[in-house]
Amino acid sequence: EVVELLLGRKMKFELGFHICKGRGQVSLNANQSLETSLEEELEFFTTNKAWRDVPNRDLFGTVKLRQKLGNLQLSMIRRTIPSILKEIHEKQQSLSKNLKGMGKLHQTT
């Protein structure tokens, strides 16, 4: 049933699902490195019977989730930058107009 959710067959979400396997308390207590934990996570999803046959490997693991979120963040930035730049330009023009309305700058000594 979890695989059905993961693949979007049971319920659809715009961004879908992603599965990660976090470090357990034993690993944390042993000060296991993040690199080792990521390697173990990858091995878990490639060898575990429940997950190894799912064809879309991009749905598994912290590394793939980081990539997915990074791409999503970049996409959101690209989509919003034009409106932000437009707003800055409009405010700059408005402030420039207000500044000109104040008259000439007087020199002080």
Side-chain angles (χ1 to χ4, degrees):
E1 191 166 312
V2 175
V3 174
E4 298 297 312
L5 282 171
L6 178 68
L7 298 175
R9 293 180 187 149
K10 193 160 182 101
M11 189 181 300
K12 295 232 183 238
F13 286 96
E14 184 178 343
L15 299 177
F17 284 97
H18 196 96
I19 296 182
C20 294
K21 180 184 177 294
R23 294 187 284 179
Q25 193 61 50
V26 172
S27 299
L28 293 170
N29 290 346
N31 291 322
Q32 183 180 48
S33 72
L34 185 56
E35 184 178 304
T36 300
S37 296
L38 293 175
E39 289 169 2
E40 286 181 2
E41 179 186 49
L42 178 62
E43 181 180 345
F44 173 81
F45 286 122
T46 55
T47 60
N48 187 286
K49 182 181 177 186
W51 309 118
R52 68 178 176 224
D53 295 330
V54 176
N56 186 353
R57 303 315 301 164
D58 289 341
L59 300 173
F60 298 99
T62 305
V63 171
K64 293 292 186 178
L65 180 59
R66 281 186 199 155
Q67 292 170 352
K68 185 178 188 178
L69 292 175
N71 289 336
L72 177 63
Q73 185 178 33
L74 186 59
S75 172
M76 292 171 77
I77 290 169
R78 284 184 174 146
R79 200 171 51 245
T80 57
I81 285 287
S83 64
I84 293 170
L85 292 176
K86 180 181 177 192
E87 183 179 341
I88 290 171
H89 181 70
E90 289 170 353
K91 286 187 179 190
Q92 181 185 24
Q93 286 182 326
S94 174
L95 292 172
S96 181
K97 183 179 177 182
N98 288 344
L99 188 58
K100 285 180 183 177
M102 291 180 188
K104 289 185 176 184
L105 182 63
H106 297 287
Q107 295 293 329
T108 58
T109 55

